[in-house]
Amino acid sequence: LELGRRLARNKKLGELARMVGRFKQDARALKRKTLERGVAEAYDIELGSELGRLIPAELLAMHHPVLKRDFHRRVLEGTVLQYRLRDDEQKGKGPMVVCIDVSSSMQGDKEMWSKAVALTLMDIARRQRRLFRAVMFSSGEVSLKVLDLNRERRYAPDLNKVVEMAEYFPGGGTDFETPIDAAVELLGEKKLKRGDIVIITDGESQVSPEWLARLRERKDELDFSIFAVLVDVGSAETSSLAQFADRITSVKRISDEHARDIFLHVQS
């Protein structure tokens, strides 16, 4: 009941819900396109009726003057021998962590856009059966808020924590080292590899050479990637993010279209 009351009286959550609805449609459409052109490996044989996955013996039966009638029957029954495929998603991916800048300069449309992107990424993580952590940051550990949003068995989101994430906005300056460390901590808990860290910010923050060296060691150990989104500011090439991010997208205008590149990145 308390959650319902908070949802009813919070205009920010209503606007976020509308934005997430649009973003989820785009993300799922992109996922379908990604699967269409994705690369998969054959790792077993199964019964089915997909002609593009037939094993060589069935291809011979399809053209054999005596066996082709039996082949056609088995296609209709779904009992021909075909390769079982395993794409990247089926192989499994590590956790997804989104670091959201909640410093003073992000207040307004940038905050709403970044949180809507984060909640859409949470939906992607749920469908991919991946742990999802949101790291809200501004300057230093005092303002840091770490929320594990889908620790349950079926990767369903914790709505109380979703509301907490949506409402949290401390303001202040910008610090990159603390939130990235909190993101890497989740990946290292059980040596979970192939994770994705997304950081969304409009600010700059210097990082120390010692911190960069430690981060590179952890990346080699855990095999994760860092995708940075630089919102409405400067050039991606001159950003301090370029020192540690594998890829940077510079968003000059807040829109649905600029969110698609992020969704495509984490689903590919």
Side-chain angles (χ1 to χ4, degrees):
L1 289 175
E2 175 57 27
L3 178 62
R5 283 192 288 268
R6 289 170 68 185
L7 291 170
R9 66 173 179 258
N10 194 315
K11 292 183 179 180
K12 179 189 288 188
L13 288 171
E15 178 59 26
L16 268 176
R18 286 188 288 273
M19 292 180 70
V20 170
R22 297 197 308 269
F23 286 178
K24 282 169 67 174
Q25 290 181 345
D26 285 344
R28 293 182 180 186
L30 285 169
K31 178 60 178 175
R32 287 192 291 270
K33 291 180 181 178
T34 302
L35 285 176
E36 287 172 4
R37 64 172 185 269
V39 177
E41 66 169 341
Y43 74 103
D44 201 352
I45 293 175
E46 62 183 0
L47 298 178
S49 59
E50 294 192 32
L51 300 183
R53 291 160 50 187
L54 296 179
I55 67 171
E58 296 287 20
L59 291 172
L60 291 173
M62 180 170 61
H63 298 287
H64 194 279
V66 177
L67 299 177
K68 63 182 179 180
R69 281 192 176 182
D70 177 66
F71 171 81
H72 292 155
R73 175 187 61 79
R74 290 186 293 114
V75 168
L76 292 174
E77 295 174 351
T79 57
V80 293
L81 296 174
Q82 64 185 34
Y83 289 115
R84 178 177 293 172
L85 302 182
R86 173 167 51 199
D87 60 29
D88 284 341
E89 181 177 337
Q90 290 173 316
K91 293 175 192 174
K93 293 185 177 182
M96 188 187 303
V97 187
V98 181
C99 302
I100 306 168
D101 186 347
V102 284
S103 62
S104 299
S105 60
M106 288 286 287
Q107 190 168 16
D109 289 344
K110 288 187 280 187
E111 179 204 358
M112 295 291 288
W113 183 86
S114 61
K115 288 181 177 179
V117 167
L119 290 174
T120 307
L121 292 174
M122 182 183 69
D123 180 65
I124 292 171
R126 178 187 60 80
R127 289 186 284 112
Q128 293 182 341
R129 302 181 64 79
R130 304 170 68 180
L131 294 174
F132 183 89
R133 170 174 285 185
V135 178
M136 321 287 284
F137 72 95
S138 55
S139 49
E141 294 184 4
V142 175
S143 63
L144 191 74
K145 182 174 284 293
V146 178
L147 297 170
D148 292 312
L149 296 176
N150 66 347
R151 284 287 192 177
E152 297 300 322
R153 184 178 178 183
R154 296 186 179 275
Y155 302 90
D158 183 325
L159 291 181
N160 280 294
K161 290 185 177 180
V162 170
V163 174
E164 188 177 358
M165 187 198 85
E167 294 178 334
Y168 185 69
F169 193 85
T174 304
D175 165 38
F176 291 154
E177 292 187 9
T178 305
I180 294 296
D181 285 344
V184 175
E185 181 184 351
L186 173 64
L187 307 183
E189 279 181 5
K190 297 181 179 178
K191 304 290 186 183
L192 297 170
K193 296 190 175 184
R194 300 185 70 233
D196 288 302
I197 297 175
V198 179
I199 179 168
I200 307 174
T201 180
D202 70 342
E204 285 293 307
S205 174
Q206 295 303 312
V207 294
S208 70
E210 295 78 15
W211 180 83
L212 282 172
R214 290 195 303 271
L215 180 63
R216 292 189 185 107
E217 289 178 1
R218 296 297 275 163
K219 287 183 73 175
D220 290 340
E221 178 186 352
L222 298 171
D223 190 27
F224 61 85
S225 64
I226 300 177
F227 180 48
V229 182
L230 193 57
V231 182
D232 194 29
V233 61
S235 167
E237 287 74 19
T238 61
S239 170
S240 55
L241 292 167
Q243 296 181 67
F244 60 86
D246 300 290
R247 182 179 174 187
I248 304 177
T249 288
S250 185
V251 176
K252 299 296 183 184
R253 182 171 55 87
I254 302 298
S255 68
D256 296 11
E257 180 180 352
H258 286 92
R260 291 171 192 151
D261 190 43
I262 308 170
F263 306 145
L264 185 61
H265 169 79
V266 300
Q267 295 183 109
S268 60

